[in-house]
């Protein structure tokens, strides 16, 4: 017998319906439906998956294929060469707490080339001990790194303004939209390195961005209307770029190649999940507020749905064109958020949600995490116990797969960094 999920907590208050992207939007929990999810363990071969070996050999590859075919699109397999120009090596930063390295990564093929810049801060104290190899968290940023950290030494790369009049347009990095700063000092003090990349340098975030970022290296820069149903979208491109950063990070002295986590917020949380699902070298994931197409169930009729996210005024270009086919019938989608999460099991995953972030459906994310948890159990990890209550604000529930909900909305909250550091300490730093 399965244990029923705890009901949504009272602090997830119902809100009036609204129209968004020209579509009605439900913000009432009682009207969200009670979706039946695809079975995590029912293989397409007809077999029931009951062992870790069968999960690894059969089910995880199936999940990745399904997620690629129906949601994110296929990441092409092509010979891409990478050159690494480390032009800033070993500079002290943050009052000597960190040692900074900056690299320009050039990716190329016969089809084209694309470059991206990464800033890496390692804890100075750990680097000083020559045997020290530290864990690192790779954060995908919405802003050029020059305005994402308080460090004058960072190279300014161009940014993109993607909304408002005259958008999209290229601007100097310092003139791009600032979305808060990364507290690098707190992380390096805790013994974890921080690697930062601006997602707009992997590929600018608008429908025509494919022609300006890493997808041109694959010559797969077809516009949104020209793509085949299973072609990759921007999230696939950002995730691929993150893996190329990981290639470089793993080779850095002072970095423990087996303890590199990835973190992203919202669309970059969706990206972090898809990157880690595909690339097992990512040792852990921190996903903040990724919502629809990320950690929240697509089958729930609450907040943003597939219909909203693939609407012409929205973000169809993030996904495979086929994802839009499920706008009216999400129950036909062969995958859902619990399967995206399960493809990462048993690695540590911290899901952060916001109390008032109704658009991202925090309760739908809890249900997805709960439904994904048996994959952690099968593989010797811990998820959310069936009998576990929904956590109170600013607390978490779960183990290796953990769900945290902050006071506040679709934003980084004051309690996030402490929750992230506690999670990293337990799962990555003190290992
Ligand atoms: C929009 C979009 C979300 C996305 C968010 C973000 O709100 O609808 O799906 O997660 O942008 O990236 O901030």
């Amino acid at each position: 017998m399965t244990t029923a999920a705890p009901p949504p907590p009272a602090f997830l208050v119902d809100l009036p319906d609204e129209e968004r992207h020209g579509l009605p939007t439900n913000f009432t929990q009682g009207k969200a439906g009670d979706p039946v999810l695809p079975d995590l363990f029912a293989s397409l071969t007809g077999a029931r998956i009951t062992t870790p070996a069968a999960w690894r050999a059969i089910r995880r590859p199936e999940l990745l294929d399904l997620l690629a075919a129906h949601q994110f699109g296929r990441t092409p397999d092509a010979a891409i060469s990478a050159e690494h120009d480390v032009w800033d090596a070993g500079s002290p930063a943050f009052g000597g707490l960190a040692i900074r390295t900056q690299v320009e990564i050039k990716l190329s093929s016969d089809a084209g080339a694309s470059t991206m810049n990464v800033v890496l801060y390692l804890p100075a104290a750990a680097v000083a001990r020559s045997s020290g190899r530290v864990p690192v968290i790779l954060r995908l940023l919405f802003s050029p790194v020059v305005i994402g950290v308080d460090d004058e030494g960072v190279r300014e790369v161009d940014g993109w303004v993607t909304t408002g009049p005259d958008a999209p347009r290229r601007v100097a990095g310092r003139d791009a939209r600032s979305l808060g700063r990364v507290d690098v000092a707190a992380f390096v003090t805790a013994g974890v390195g921080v690697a930062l990349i601006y997602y707009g340098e992997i590929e600018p975030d608008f429908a025509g961005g494919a022609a300006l970022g890493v997808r041109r290296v694959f010559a797969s820069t077809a516009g949104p209307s020209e793509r085949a149903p299973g072609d990759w979208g921007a999230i696939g491109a950002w995730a691929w770029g993150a893996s190329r950063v990981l290639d470089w990070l793993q080779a850095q002295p002072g970095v423990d190649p087996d303890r590199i986590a990835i973190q992203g917020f919202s669309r970059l949380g969706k990206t972090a999940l898809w990157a880690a699902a595909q690339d097992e070298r990512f040792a852990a994931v921190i996903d903040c507020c990724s919502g629809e197409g990320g950690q929240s169930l697509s089958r729930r009729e609450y907040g943003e749905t597939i219909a909203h996210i693939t609407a012409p005024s929205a973000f169809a270009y993030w996904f495979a064109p086929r994802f839009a086919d499920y706008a009216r019938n999400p129950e036909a989608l062969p995958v859902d958020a619990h399967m995206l999460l399960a493809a990462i099991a048993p690695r540590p995953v911290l899901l952060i949600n916001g109390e008032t972030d109704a658009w991202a459906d925090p309760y739908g994310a809890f249900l997805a995490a709960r439904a994904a948890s048996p994959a952690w159990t099968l593989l010797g990890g811990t998820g959310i116990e069936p009998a576990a209550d929904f956590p109170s604000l600013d607390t978490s529930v779960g183990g290796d797969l953990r769900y945290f909900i902050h006071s506040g909305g679709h934003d980084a909250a004051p309690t996030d960094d402490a929750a992230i550091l506690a999670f990293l300490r337990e799962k990555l730093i003190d290992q």
Side-chain angles (χ1 to χ4, degrees):
M1 230 198 65
T2 50
T3 315
F11 61 76
L12 294 182
V13 292
D14 287 344
L15 301 167
D17 287 5
E18 255 183 48
E19 195 173 288
R20 300 227 186 153
H21 296 295
L23 297 162
T25 312
N26 170 50
F27 290 114
T28 301
Q29 297 289 354
K31 294 195 300 184
D34 189 10
V36 177
L37 302 181
D39 190 331
L40 265 192
F41 300 115
S43 160
L44 302 177
T45 62
R48 185 122 202 106
I49 302 297
T50 55
T51 64
W55 176 271
R56 292 198 174 96
I58 302 168
R59 193 55 176 153
R60 181 170 169 274
E62 282 181 0
L63 295 182
L64 292 175
D65 276 352
L66 291 168
L67 287 159
H70 299 274
Q71 184 161 336
F72 296 109
R74 287 195 189 284
T75 304
D77 196 10
I80 304 296
S81 58
E83 290 162 52
H84 301 105
D85 175 14
V86 178
W87 58 273
D88 174 25
S91 309
F94 294 96
L97 285 176
I99 301 293
R100 185 187 64 227
T101 301
Q102 298 188 73
V103 62
E104 183 180 274
I105 303 177
K106 181 174 176 193
L107 302 159
S108 59
S109 71
D110 291 344
S114 188
T115 56
M116 53 196 201
N117 286 271
V118 180
V119 186
L120 169 64
Y121 297 101
L122 292 179
V127 172
R129 298 190 303 271
S130 53
S131 60
R133 282 188 161 248
V134 296
V136 168
I137 181 150
L138 167 60
R139 287 184 61 164
L140 309 170
L141 298 189
F142 275 90
S143 313
V145 181
V146 70
I147 54 171
V149 290
D150 192 6
D151 176 8
E152 285 300 312
V154 169
R155 172 183 278 181
E156 181 178 13
V157 302
D158 285 349
W160 288 92
V161 173
T162 56
T163 53
D166 304 331
R169 70 195 150 87
R170 194 188 274 273
V171 294
R174 287 181 209 278
D175 297 332
R177 194 157 69 113
S178 163
L179 285 169
R181 294 208 157 153
V182 177
D183 188 356
V184 174
F187 282 77
V188 291
T189 304
V192 60
V194 179
L196 302 169
I197 183 164
Y198 167 49
Y199 84 132
E201 246 203 318
I202 304 177
E203 181 172 302
D205 185 3
F206 48 88
L212 298 161
V214 293
R215 272 187 283 174
R216 70 189 149 169
V217 179
F218 295 88
S220 55
T221 56
S225 54
E226 299 146 8
R227 289 186 298 150
D231 279 356
W232 59 340
I235 290 176
W238 297 325
W240 184 83
S243 283
R244 302 295 70 77
V245 177
L246 179 60
D247 297 339
W248 178 77
L249 282 174
Q250 284 197 311
Q252 295 318 295
V255 172
D256 184 341
D258 297 325
R259 288 188 294 159
I260 300 174
I262 183 167
Q263 177 176 341
F265 175 80
S266 209
R267 68 199 68 184
L268 297 178
K270 307 184 217 282
T271 302
L273 293 175
W274 181 227
Q278 296 177 94
D279 191 336
E280 290 188 278
R281 298 173 304 157
F282 284 114
V285 185
I286 315 288
D287 163 21
C288 313
C289 310
S290 63
E292 178 60 46
Q295 57 171 290
S296 299
L297 292 176
S298 293
R299 278 170 171 71
R300 263 174 50 95
E301 185 67 40
Y302 183 98
E304 187 173 31
T305 63
I306 301 175
H308 296 95
I309 210 165
T310 60
S313 57
F315 304 107
Y317 66 91
W318 288 350
F319 300 95
R322 189 177 284 119
F323 194 44
D325 294 351
Y326 302 101
R328 265 179 221 87
N329 55 342
E331 64 290 344
L333 179 67
V335 288
D336 211 319
H338 65 309
M339 294 157 110
L340 174 59
L341 298 175
I344 309 172
R347 289 167 284 162
V349 176
L350 175 64
L351 303 173
I352 298 180
N353 279 268
E355 167 199 13
T356 60
D357 190 10
W359 182 238
D361 189 9
Y363 184 65
F366 174 78
L367 294 180
R370 206 175 168 272
S373 291
W376 266 263
T377 311
L378 178 71
L379 298 169
T382 49
I384 298 177
E385 294 295 329
D389 287 333
F390 194 97
S392 49
L393 284 174
D394 299 306
T395 68
S396 62
V397 63
D400 299 314
L401 173 62
R402 190 170 301 180
Y403 177 98
F404 174 76
I405 185 152
H406 63 222
S407 313
H410 192 66
D411 219 335
T415 51
D416 286 357
D417 274 359
I420 293 169
L421 278 169
F423 188 70
L424 290 178
R425 266 195 202 99
E426 199 183 307
K427 303 295 171 193
L428 223 54
I429 302 177
D430 299 335
Q431 295 301 305

